[in-house]
Amino acid sequence: MRELTTIGFDADDTLWQNEQFFRMTEERFVALLGEHGEAAEISGRLLEAEKRNLGFYGFGIKGFVLSMIETAIEITRGQVPAAVIGEILAAGREMAAHPVETLPHVHETLVALSSDYRLVLITKGDLFDQERKLAQSGLGDFFHAVEIVSDKKPETYGRIFSRHGDGAGQAMMVGNSLKSDILPALEAGSWAVHVPHHLTWALERAEEPVGHGRYHAIPDLGPLRGLIEQLVR
């Protein structure tokens, strides 16, 4: 049996742009509340609200919008105008309607790998929004399976790679988040390839596992096929 049979791919900021739209919306939100505090304070309060709410709303646009509304209420001590709430809701709808922008080398990499490996999309986020982005991306046909999960832990990868492959030991996870895509996949026993994005949400940052025998980093998806060929030959 071959050493590598299944490759998991993260979606947001690995296959297509995502974080930049959250940053743009946050800037708009901070401007809306500018008379109530400094930009850094408002952003910090928003991050704290997001952290508190992950267990209730999960990852994605809906949770982000609810956290912005909660932060606006807190910062204005309950006096936030209805018009500001309306602006926040409109910003969320714009995020959900934004066209998908795939990242460099995505299409050709999936074309090259899909005939030799089982490809599995493994992503966090809102089910409706992630399904929309996958459909708009035109990449769905490359994947043997799609798993939209509430969180990414070692047992998540163990379960998915057993269900859609030959177990975590013969699988690889590719993604931009050290915290969600790399560290738990390594703990599950998989290979892990970090493809960094220039924007990283504060809650997805972690220490790079330098020296781990199954960890690799590449600047974008272009070198992935060559790396895999080196590993399995």
Side-chain angles (χ1 to χ4, degrees), residues 60-189:
I61 293 172
K62 292 177 183 177
F64 182 56
V65 169
L66 290 170
S67 293
M68 285 193 289
I69 292 173
E70 180 179 315
T71 302
I73 293 170
E74 289 178 352
I75 286 178
T76 63
R77 298 181 181 180
Q79 302 301 308
V80 57
V84 171
I85 300 296
E87 287 277 352
I88 294 170
L89 293 171
R93 287 192 294 271
E94 289 176 20
M95 290 177 70
H98 200 283
V100 173
E101 299 177 12
T102 55
L103 288 161
H105 309 295
V106 167
H107 190 272
E108 61 262 39
T109 298
L110 296 181
V111 168
L113 295 175
S114 59
S115 59
D116 296 323
Y117 301 94
R118 287 186 292 264
L119 306 187
V120 182
L121 185 68
I122 308 173
T123 181
K124 296 187 296 190
D126 178 75
L127 175 64
F128 181 82
D129 189 43
Q130 295 299 68
E131 287 180 338
R132 174 190 68 85
K133 288 188 284 190
L134 180 59
Q136 287 189 8
S137 73
L139 304 175
D141 289 344
F142 294 115
F143 293 99
H144 173 82
V146 175
E147 294 276 356
I148 300 173
V149 299
S150 59
D151 205 353
K152 293 177 176 177
K153 299 179 179 179
E155 53 267 31
T156 308
Y157 290 112
R159 181 179 68 253
I160 290 173
F161 288 138
S162 293
R163 180 186 300 148
H164 302 297
D166 301 300
Q170 292 177 262
M172 170 184 287
M173 184 60 193
V174 180
N176 70 292
S177 171
L178 288 166
K179 182 177 180 180
S180 294
D181 302 320
I182 304 305
L183 297 179
L186 290 173
E187 189 173 340

Side-chain angles (χ1 to χ4, degrees), residues 19-35:
E19 181 63 20
Q20 68 179 21
F21 305 122
F22 282 81
R23 297 288 181 93
M24 290 166 58
T25 303
E26 182 176 331
E27 290 175 3
R28 179 175 171 181
F29 171 73
V30 168
L32 281 171
L33 296 176
E35 64 183 79

